[in-house]
Amino acid sequence: MSDYPRTAIELHDWFPTEQSCRDYLVRLRWPEGLRCPACGASKIWTMAAPFYRCAACGYDFTVTTGTLFADTHKPLRLWFEAIWSITNQKSGASALGVQRVLGLGSYRTAWNWLHKLRRAMVRQGRDRLAGVVEVDETFVGAPQPGKRGRGAAGKTLVVIAAQADGRKIGRIRLARVRDASAASLEPVVRQAIEPGTRVQTDDWQGYSGLKAVGYNHEVIRRNTELGDNLLPRANRIAALLKRWLLGTHQGAVRPRHLDYYLDEFTFRFNRRASGSRGLLFYRLLQQAVALPPVKGKDLVGGRPLTQSEPTTAGS
Ligand SMILES: [Zn+2]
């Protein structure tokens, strides 16, 4: 038996009811059998749907308790449609697109959903890059390469970490940063890349402290202006990211909302070999039920960016 639907028709065949959605989430969340989210016990009573009760501690819960779907007042079928829609658009989803596809009354709701799902795309701190990793920055939303040390109005600086896979690109991480100072760049590297990794950069001063914080830092070019192609993987990612942002969002991504799009791009890129769109749907649902709930108020307007807390896109 396959694990996920392959086509939109299969999606609707698989999930005609709320119960069918819940049953699927149960399999994704507890592949080894039901577990109490409160105490971890495995002896669980099935109550009137959708509830379960822990035989050990008496806690009542549902399959969405403690997940991204916990506080939703919308049908799970609609969430499944949204996730299907997002994972089946090669170029990515916009809030407006999701709103239209789902017939949601409110743009804000669609936007909130996209940004909640973003939390399922990233798995902070897990699976850091290792081996050989190129790190560089690029400006997003800028027609011309800018100077590094200072910010420029309307331009957002994004750090790219691209793992080498032979001559090809392995997995990537992206993060928005305030500027190209060491105080901004180093936390991103530490969050995205395993200590001891061979990290290749140019000789920009913002990277000069990487050796001191445990990396095998390798300076591979002298030029400190952006745009040279001596870090080919990082440069390739920069080009793909810009093309994707232009194609999907006509470049109309507000800097404060960019984090979401960086995460979506990373999620897609790191799974580009998956072949099946259904597999992306499966992975995103799987990660969504493995997450704590996210409050809407934490999402609206994006997160403030601080130097000490870079936003690292991962997957
Ligand atoms: Zn319990």
Side-chain angles (χ1 to χ4, degrees), residues 4 6-7 13 21 26-27 62 88 100 102 126 132 169 175-176 178 181 186 195 207 236 260 282 290 297:
Y4 47 85
R6 258 70 177 179
T7 65
D13 286 347
C21 295
V26 165
R27 280 167 45 205
T62 76
N88 274 270
R100 283 184 185 140
L102 301 183
R126 292 198 206 172
V132 179
I169 305 171
R176 181 171 58 103
R178 179 190 301 268
S181 67
E186 270 182 24
Y207 297 112
R236 176 83 183 129
Y260 167 77
Y282 175 84
K297 65 178 168 58

Side-chain angles (χ1 to χ4, degrees), residues 36 38-41 54 56-59:
C36 172
C39 76
C54 175
C57 74
Y59 184 63

Side-chain angles (χ1 to χ4, degrees), residues 132-268:
V132 179
V133 179
E134 294 179 4
V135 177
D136 203 357
E137 323 97 69
T138 190
F139 281 109
V140 171
Q144 299 294 328
K147 294 280 184 192
R148 274 169 146 177
R150 49 179 194 252
K155 300 175 183 181
T156 306
L157 195 61
V158 172
V159 180
I160 297 167
Q163 185 176 300
D165 177 14
R167 295 176 63 85
K168 294 186 293 188
I169 305 171
R171 292 178 303 138
I172 63 165
R173 292 285 187 274
L174 302 173
R176 181 171 58 103
V177 286
R178 179 190 301 268
D179 55 39
S181 67
S184 296
L185 294 174
E186 270 182 24
V188 169
V189 169
R190 296 169 79 163
Q191 196 171 17
I193 305 173
E194 287 289 340
T197 296
R198 208 168 122 204
V199 176
Q200 301 180 325
T201 70
D202 57 28
D203 70 352
W204 173 247
Q205 66 205 30
Y207 297 112
S208 60
L210 289 184
K211 200 156 264 176
V213 292
Y215 293 93
N216 179 6
H217 182 215
E218 195 175 18
V219 175
I220 65 160
R221 64 174 156 111
R222 293 223 174 104
N223 193 332
T224 55
E225 291 307 308
L226 294 175
D228 288 352
N229 199 24
L230 293 165
L231 293 163
R233 295 176 187 85
N235 277 276
R236 176 83 183 129
I237 296 302
L240 288 173
L241 172 66
K242 288 175 188 183
R243 189 191 304 166
W244 184 76
L245 287 171
L246 279 172
T248 311
H249 313 292
Q250 286 78 50
V253 176
R254 282 190 244 163
R256 284 168 67 95
H257 296 172
L258 185 65
D259 297 333
Y260 167 77
Y261 298 104
L262 297 184
D263 287 331
E264 184 179 349
F265 181 88
T266 303
F267 178 79
R268 288 172 184 281

